[in-house]
C-alpha cells in the first residue's frame, strides 16, 4: 500500500491527512524519529514543568512517551479530526488529562502567551511544501500564531529535515522577529532512520535537525547558533554561515546514502573532506574506492596514509588508490589523508576520531568490524620549516617529513594544490671536522621526469670540450638545475622563474648555489624568450618545466600560453642549429594533447616522446637536426647519452643507483 502522496502539494491538504491516518489505522507513524532517538534534544530544551503545545500531533507516540517520562502538561492539536479522535480513544484511560484538540495551527484559538514550549515534529515540513507565495503566507501565519501563544522566553522546538527553502526562510524569519535561533543536528535520529531503511534500496535518509527558536521581546543583535553534536555549539555572525553548516551536513548525507547503496566501480573515487565541528579547515580527506566483488575479498576497510606520504603516487592519484585497493583484497576502501595544518597525537587517536565517519561510508547492512590499515604503526612526522606567501604562487610552505628507511625529505608545497610536491630534496648527513651536518643531496631527483629531461641535456652536451648553453624555464626549488650542474660539467645553465619568492626559497632551503655556470633570472619566461629572440641569444638545450597556476585547465604543464605559435617561433629562433627542446608535458585532455603535438610538429620536424608509467608526465624531445628523422636514430643517440649519464653520476658519487633504466626507456620511446 502506497501511503506517500502522489504530489508534494498534497502534504498541506486536510483530505490528504484524513485519508493518510485512516489507512494507517492504529499503527503510529513517526516522522524523523521516535522518543528514544530524540530524547536528548527534548530533555535539553524542554523541562517537565513546561506547559507544552504539541503542534500537528497526528498519531505519533511522541507526546505519549513524553507524558510517561514526566511531561504532564501537554496539549496536542492537529488539523485532522480522524487523528484527534483516535488519539483521544487511545489515551482516554491512562492519560486522561492530556488534551487532544482538532485545530488549525495557522489559526489557533488559544490565548496569547499560554504555552512555554511549542513542539513541532514534521508539521513545518508538511506545511512548507514548496517556495510559492501562497505557501509562504501559510507558514508566516503559522509562525505568527506560534509566536503569539508562546510566553516571553518560550521556545519553539521543531524537528525537521530543513529542506533548502525551509532553511532559508527559518534563518531569515526568526532573527528578524526577535527570536534567538539555534539549529541542532540529531545524530541518533539519523542513525535510526538509516537502520530502518536498510532493506529499502530507494530510501534516502537525510539528516534530522531540531530548530530551537527562543522568544524575546527584543534582541540587540541576532543570535545564530549551530550544534553539530551535543558537546559543542558554534555561534555565527551571518545567516549564510549558519546555512552553509546545515548544507554541508546534508550534502554529506546524500553522498553517504549513495555510497551505502551503490559503488563507484568504473568511476573516479569519491573524495570527502572532514572537519571538526565549528572549524572550516579540513582535518582529514577521505577517498572512497571500489572494485568489483569477487570471492575472497573483504567488504570494507580504512587505510590511514602516514603524514608525509600523501603525495606519493599510490595515495595521491585515483589510479594509485585503485592499485592500493587491489593489493589490499577489499571491495571498498576509505583512503584517509591527514592535513598538514592539523596536529595528530597518535595513530590510536586518529582511528578513534575517524571511527564514526568511516562507518558512515560503509555499504548498508555491513555487520563486520571495519579494519584500520596503514604502513607500519607509525603515523609519520612532519615539521614545517617555513611559511611564506607570494603574489604569484600564493601561500606556500617548506616542510620536512620522515619517509621510508628513516630518510628525511624537504618539500616545497603550494597550499592551493597540497597534493602536489613542487620541489623535494633528500637531506643527507655528512661529517665535517668530526661533526655531523645536514646537507642537500644533489644526486637525488625527486621527480621521475627530471631524469629524462636530464638525459636530453646530456645528449645536447655531447662534447666535453665545448661549453653548452642550457635554458631552464621553471626553477622551483632548483633541484633539477643543481643536479645538471653537478652531473654535467660542460654546461652553462640559465634558469628563469617569474616568482622571486621561489628563488629565495631555493637558495635558503634547497641548496641552490649560483656561480659562473648557474645563473638565475627573475622574469616572465615568455618575456625572456622574446628578449632572447631580439638579442640573438642561442641555447643548445631549452627545457620547459613550468606549471600552470590555473588548476582547472586540461593542460597543467606548461601553461597553454607557452605552446602558442608565436612562443614556439621564438623558441625555434633561439635554439642552436642542432639544439634540443625538452618539454615536460602534463595534459589530461587528449584532444588538447594532440593539438599540442601538432603545433610542435610545425616547428620541429623531428619529435619523439616518452610517457612515464605511473605519472601523467610525458617528456617530449624536439629538434631541427636532420640526423633524427627516424626512431632508430633517436634511440641510438639517447641510449648512448643515458648510459653516459648513469656512468658519470656513479663516478662522481652523485648516485648509488642508475639515474634511469635505459633499456626500458628505449622500449617505450615513440616518434
Amino acid at each position: 500500500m502506497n501511503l506517500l502522496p502522489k504530489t508534494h502539494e498534497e502534504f498541506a491538504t486536510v483530505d490528504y491527512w484524513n485519508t493518510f491516518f485512516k489507512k494507517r489505522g492504529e499503527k503510529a507513524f513517526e516522522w524523523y524519529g521516535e522518543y528514544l532517538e530524540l530524547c536528548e534534544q527534548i530533555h535539553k530544551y524542554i523541562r517537565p514543568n513546561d506547559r507544552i503545545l504539541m503542534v500537528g500531533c497526528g498519531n505519533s507516540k511522541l507526546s505519549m512517551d513524553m507524558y510517561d517520562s514526566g511531561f504532564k502538561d501537554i496539549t496536542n492539536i492537529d488539523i485532522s479530526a480522524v487523528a484527534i479522535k483516535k488519539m483521544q480513544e487511545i489515551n482516554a484511560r491512562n492519560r486522561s488529562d492530556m488534551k487532544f484538540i482538532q485545530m488549525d495551527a495557522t489559526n489557533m484559538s488559544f490565548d496569547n502567551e499560554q504555552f512555554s514550549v511549542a513542539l513541532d515534529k514534521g508539521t513545518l515540513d508538511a506545511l512548507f511544501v514548496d517556495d510559492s507565495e501562497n505557501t509562504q503566507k501559510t507558514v508566516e501565519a503559522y509562525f505568527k500564531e506560534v509566536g503569539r501563544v508562546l510566553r516571553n522566553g518560550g521556545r519553539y522546538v521543531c524537528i525537521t529535515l530543513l529542506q533548502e527553502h525551509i532553511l532559508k526562510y527559518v534563518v531569515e524569519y526568526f532573527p528578524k522577529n526577535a527570536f534567538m535561533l539555534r539549529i541542532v543536528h540529531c545524530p541518533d535520529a539519523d542513525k535510526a532512520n538509516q537502520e530502518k531503511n536498510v532493506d529499502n534500496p530507494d530510501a534516502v535518509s537525510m539528516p534530522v535537525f531540531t530548530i530551537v527558536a527562543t522568544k524575546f521581546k527584543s534582541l540587540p543583535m541576532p543570535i545564530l547558533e549551530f550544534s553539530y553534536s551535543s558537546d559543542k555549539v558554534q555561534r555565527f555572525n551571518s545567516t549564510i554561515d549558519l546555512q552553509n553548516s546545515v548544507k554541508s551536513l546534508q550534502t554529506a548525507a546524500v553522498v553517504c546514502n549513495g555510497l551505502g547503496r551503490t559503488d563507484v566501480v568504473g568511476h573516479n573515487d569519491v573524495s570527502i573532506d572532514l572537519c571538526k565541528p565549528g572549524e572550516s579547515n579540513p582535518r582529514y580527506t577521505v577517498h572512497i574506492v571500489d572494485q568489483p566483488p569477487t570471492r575472497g575479498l573483504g567488504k570494507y576497510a580504512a587505510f590511514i596514509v602516514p603524514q608525509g606520504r600523501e603525495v606519493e603516487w599510490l595515495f595521491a592519484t585515483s589510479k594509485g588508490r585503485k592499485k592500493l585497493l587491489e593489493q589490499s583484497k577489499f571491495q571498498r576502501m576509505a583512503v584517509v589523508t591527514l592535513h598538514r595544518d592539523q596536529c595528530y597525537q597518535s595513530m590510536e587517536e586518529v582511528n578513534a576520531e575517524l571511527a564514526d565517519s568511516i562507518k558512515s561510508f560503509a555499504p548498508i547492512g555491513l555487520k563486520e568490524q571495519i579494519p584500520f590499515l596503514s604502513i607500519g604503526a607509525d603515523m609519520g612526522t612532519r615539521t614545517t620549516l617555513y611559511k611564506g606567501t607570494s603574489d604569484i604562487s600564493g601561500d606556500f610552505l617548506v616542510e620536512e617529513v620522515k619517509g621510508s628507511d628513516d630518510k628525511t625529505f624537504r618539500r616545497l608545497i603550494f597550499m592551493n594544490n597540497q597534493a602536489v610536491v613542487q620541489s623535494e630534496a633528500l637531506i643527507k648527513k655528512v661529517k665535517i671536522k668530526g661533526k655531523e651536518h645536514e646537507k642537500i643531496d644533489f644526486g637525488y631527483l625527486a621527480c621521475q621526469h627530471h631524469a629524462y629531461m636530464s638525459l636530453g641535456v646530456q645528449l645536447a652536451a655531447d662534447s666535453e670540450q665545448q661549453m653548452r648553453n642550457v635554458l631552464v624555464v621553471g626553477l622551483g626549488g632548483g633541484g633539477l638545475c643543481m643536479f645538471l650542474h653537478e652531473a654535467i660539467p660542460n654546461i652553462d645553465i640559465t634558469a628563469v622563474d617569474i616568482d622571486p619568492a621561489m628563488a629565495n626559497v631555493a637558495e635558503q632551503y634547497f641548496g641552490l648555489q649560483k656561480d659562473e655556470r648557474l645563473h638565475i633570472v627573475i622574469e616572465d619566461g615568455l618575456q625572456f624568450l622574446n628578449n632572447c629572440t631580439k638579442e640573438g641569444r642561442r641555447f643548445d638545450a631549452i627545457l620547459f618545466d613550468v606549471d600552470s597556476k590555473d588548476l582547472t585547465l586540461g593542460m597543467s604543464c606548461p601553461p597553454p600560453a607557452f605552446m602558442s605559435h608565436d612562443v614556439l617561433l621564438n623558441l625555434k629562433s633561439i635554439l642552436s642549429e642542432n639544439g634540443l627542446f625538452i618539454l615536460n608535458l602534463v595534459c589530461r585532455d587528449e584532444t588538447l594533447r594532440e593539438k599540442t603535438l601538432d603545433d610542435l610538429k610545425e616547428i620541429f620536424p623531428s619529435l619523439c616522446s616518452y610517457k612515464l608509467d605511473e605519472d601523467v608526465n610525458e617528456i617530449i624531445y624536439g629538434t631541427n637536426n636532420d640526423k633524427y628523422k627516424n626512431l632508430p636514430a633517436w634511440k641510438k643517440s639517447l641510449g648512448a647519452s643515458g648510459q653516459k649519464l648513469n656512468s658519470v653520476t656513479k663516478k662522481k658519487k652523485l648516485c648509488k643507483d642508475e639515474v634511469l633504466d635505459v633499456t626500458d626507456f628505449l622500449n617505450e620511446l615513440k616518434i
Side-chain angles (χ1 to χ4, degrees):
M1 185 183 295
N2 180 16
L3 302 184
L4 293 177
K6 295 176 183 177
T7 59
H8 62 267
E9 288 84 358
E10 295 180 29
F11 270 112
T13 66
V14 175
D15 288 342
Y16 168 74
W17 290 112
N18 282 330
T19 303
F20 179 90
F21 288 116
K22 284 178 181 177
K23 287 182 178 180
R24 290 293 302 182
E26 301 297 328
K27 187 175 180 181
F29 186 76
E30 299 299 343
W31 294 100
Y32 314 148
E34 301 183 32
Y35 173 72
L36 288 177
E37 297 137 21
L38 299 170
C39 65
E40 181 179 357
Q41 283 73 36
I42 289 172
H43 284 267
K44 186 171 184 177
Y45 297 107
I46 306 175
R47 297 182 295 269
N49 61 351
D50 275 324
R51 191 169 188 186
I52 304 166
L53 172 65
M54 178 71 76
V55 187
C57 63
N59 67 346
S60 167
K61 289 180 59 186
L62 181 60
S63 62
M64 293 184 275
D65 290 333
M66 289 177 63
Y67 184 94
D68 296 343
S69 299
F71 299 90
K72 299 302 182 183
D73 192 345
I74 304 177
T75 299
N76 301 268
I77 66 169
D78 198 277
I79 197 171
S80 169
V82 174
I84 292 298
K85 183 179 179 182
K86 284 188 177 297
M87 294 301 280
Q88 288 172 339
E89 293 171 354
I90 292 170
N91 292 280
R93 176 176 296 181
N94 296 326
R95 306 176 189 90
S96 58
D97 54 341
M98 189 161 62
K99 304 178 187 68
F100 290 90
I101 306 170
Q102 182 189 4
M103 191 180 295
D104 185 346
T106 66
N107 185 23
M108 292 185 273
S109 58
F110 299 119
D111 294 337
N112 293 348
E113 300 186 359
Q114 187 170 338
F115 299 97
S116 54
V117 171
L119 179 57
D120 170 342
K121 190 172 76 129
T123 298
L124 174 62
D125 291 12
L127 288 174
F128 215 151
V129 293
D130 56 35
D131 201 21
S132 67
E133 185 177 347
N134 287 337
T135 299
Q136 288 195 29
K137 286 180 180 178
T138 300
V139 173
E140 184 177 10
Y142 170 51
F143 281 169
K144 282 183 177 179
E145 281 293 273
V146 168
R148 181 182 67 79
V149 302
L150 276 179
R151 300 167 182 168
N152 190 46
R155 297 167 301 285
Y156 172 60
V157 180
C158 174
I159 315 299
T160 171
L161 296 183
L162 276 181
Q163 291 173 272
E164 186 173 2
H165 63 283
I166 298 177
L167 173 63
K168 182 180 178 182
Y169 191 89
V170 163
V171 300
E172 291 177 356
Y173 180 87
F174 286 110
K176 185 172 64 178
N177 288 277
F179 280 78
M180 170 184 168
L181 178 62
R182 176 181 291 181
I183 296 177
V184 183
H185 177 224
C186 307
D188 290 341
D190 289 359
K191 184 177 180 181
N193 290 337
Q194 290 167 5
E195 290 173 351
K196 291 174 186 175
N197 290 330
V198 166
D199 297 324
N200 184 356
D202 298 322
V204 176
S205 300
M206 295 302 294
V208 179
F209 298 93
T210 301
I211 298 171
V212 183
T214 306
K215 177 183 174 181
F216 291 95
K217 289 183 178 178
S218 65
L219 285 172
M221 60 182 293
I223 300 177
L224 306 167
E225 295 179 336
F226 179 72
S227 178
Y228 175 75
S229 57
S230 59
D231 60 343
K232 190 165 185 177
V233 175
Q234 185 178 9
R235 183 165 289 188
F236 296 107
N237 294 321
S238 75
T239 58
I240 296 298
D241 291 338
L242 178 56
Q243 289 183 73
N244 287 341
S245 292
V246 173
K247 288 177 181 177
S248 66
L249 262 177
Q250 292 170 330
T251 300
V254 171
V255 173
C256 292
N257 271 286
L259 289 172
R261 289 171 168 79
T262 187
D263 57 52
V264 291
V265 174
H267 301 277
N268 288 333
D269 44 16
V270 174
S271 299
I272 304 117
D273 285 334
L274 301 179
C275 306
K276 279 187 173 182
E279 296 182 4
S280 57
N281 291 336
R283 183 161 171 80
Y284 303 97
T285 295
V286 183
H287 305 275
I288 305 298
V289 200
D290 285 320
Q291 64 178 328
T294 57
R295 188 174 181 179
L297 287 182
K299 285 190 176 180
Y300 180 45
F303 187 97
I304 312 300
V305 180
Q307 291 185 99
R309 302 197 64 174
E310 69 281 342
V311 295
E312 296 177 15
W313 177 84
L314 195 63
F315 312 121
T317 66
S318 181
K319 287 184 179 179
R321 291 187 288 267
K322 287 178 181 177
K323 187 72 173 178
L324 177 67
L325 176 63
E326 292 171 5
Q327 296 171 350
S328 71
K329 305 300 182 184
F330 284 91
Q331 285 179 224
R332 168 171 293 176
M333 178 173 283
V335 182
V336 184
T337 57
L338 286 58
H339 281 244
R340 52 179 42 84
D341 57 348
Q342 300 283 330
C343 180
Y344 310 92
Q345 299 299 325
S346 65
M347 188 65 83
E348 290 73 21
E349 177 207 54
V350 169
N351 292 352
E353 194 173 29
L354 282 168
D356 287 340
S357 296
I358 293 300
K359 287 179 185 176
S360 68
F361 305 130
I364 286 181
L366 181 73
K367 303 296 184 183
E368 299 89 342
Q369 185 174 355
I370 302 170
F372 278 73
L373 313 174
S374 189
I375 303 173
D378 191 1
M379 188 174 58
T381 57
R382 184 186 354 236
T383 305
T384 299
L385 301 181
Y386 176 72
K387 288 184 178 180
T389 189
S390 159
D391 293 338
I392 296 168
S393 303
D395 293 336
F396 64 89
L397 57 81
V398 179
E399 65 182 16
E400 280 191 358
V401 299
K402 291 286 186 183
S404 57
D405 301 327
D406 204 31
K407 292 180 179 178
T408 300
F409 298 95
R410 186 170 295 174
R411 292 172 177 164
L412 171 63
I413 303 290
F414 290 168
M415 299 308 289
N416 63 357
N417 194 13
Q418 296 185 42
V420 175
V421 176
Q422 297 299 322
S423 294
E424 181 181 81
L426 175 64
I427 306 298
K428 65 179 181 180
K429 294 181 178 179
V430 297
K431 284 190 176 181
I432 303 175
K433 296 182 179 179
K435 291 186 178 181
E436 197 172 67
H437 295 266
E438 288 187 343
K439 186 180 178 182
I440 301 295
D441 185 351
F442 295 131
Y444 172 75
L445 287 175
C447 303
Q448 191 183 11
H449 70 271
H450 281 172
Y452 302 99
M453 299 189 85
S454 300
L455 169 58
V457 176
Q458 181 67 63
L459 176 59
D462 57 358
S463 171
E464 295 185 1
Q465 287 74 35
Q466 184 179 352
M467 290 297 292
R468 299 294 186 181
N469 293 320
V470 176
L471 173 61
V472 179
V473 181
L475 175 66
L480 173 60
C481 289
M482 288 307 300
F483 176 82
L484 293 173
H485 181 276
E486 297 298 304
I488 309 174
N490 65 314
I491 58 173
D492 188 298
I493 304 169
T494 299
V496 180
D497 201 288
I498 194 173
D499 193 345
M502 294 303 102
N504 293 333
V505 164
E507 289 188 66
Q508 293 181 33
Y509 293 97
F510 291 89
L512 181 69
Q513 300 169 9
K514 294 182 289 187
D515 61 15
E516 68 279 0
R517 291 201 303 114
L518 178 53
H519 319 279
I520 308 300
V521 177
I522 302 302
E523 190 177 345
D524 184 332
L526 299 178
Q527 186 61 49
F528 182 85
L529 293 172
N530 192 45
N531 291 340
C532 288
T533 301
K534 293 178 180 178
E535 297 165 7
R537 294 185 63 178
R538 295 288 184 270
F539 295 93
D540 300 294
I542 300 177
L543 287 68
F544 276 10
D545 188 31
V546 55
D547 287 339
S548 171
K549 302 300 181 186
D550 187 347
L551 303 178
T552 65
L553 299 176
M555 186 165 69
S556 57
C557 185
F562 278 77
M563 291 289 101
S564 70
H565 186 68
D566 289 344
V567 171
L568 293 179
L569 287 176
N570 283 339
L571 182 66
K572 181 177 182 178
S573 70
I574 67 172
L575 198 62
S576 64
E577 183 179 355
N578 296 321
L580 189 66
F581 173 56
I582 307 162
L583 169 67
N584 174 31
L585 178 64
V586 180
C587 189
R588 295 170 176 82
D589 185 327
E590 186 59 31
T591 302
L592 185 55
R593 174 186 173 274
E594 291 296 332
K595 181 183 182 306
T596 300
L597 292 178
D598 288 340
D599 292 343
L600 287 170
K601 288 173 187 176
E602 288 186 23
I603 304 299
F604 303 106
S606 298
L607 283 177
C608 71
S609 68
Y610 175 75
K611 181 74 169 61
L612 279 67
D613 285 340
E614 293 183 346
D615 295 332
V616 291
N617 303 72
E618 183 176 8
I619 304 303
I620 311 293
Y621 305 98
T623 183
N624 290 308
N625 193 336
D626 292 337
K627 177 180 177 181
Y628 301 107
K629 286 294 186 182
N630 53 54
L631 188 57
W634 277 110
K635 286 187 174 183
K636 181 179 179 181
S637 295
L638 285 170
S641 296
Q643 291 172 353
K644 185 173 183 178
L645 185 63
N646 284 334
S647 175
V648 167
T649 51
K650 284 185 179 180
K651 186 176 180 180
K652 289 177 173 287
K653 296 184 178 179
L654 278 174
C655 307
K656 292 181 181 178
D657 301 318
E658 294 185 339
V659 176
L660 51 86
D661 185 330
V662 176
T663 302
D664 177 72
F665 168 76
L666 295 178
N667 287 337
E668 298 299 324
L669 194 64
K670 295 179 181 179
I671 194 165

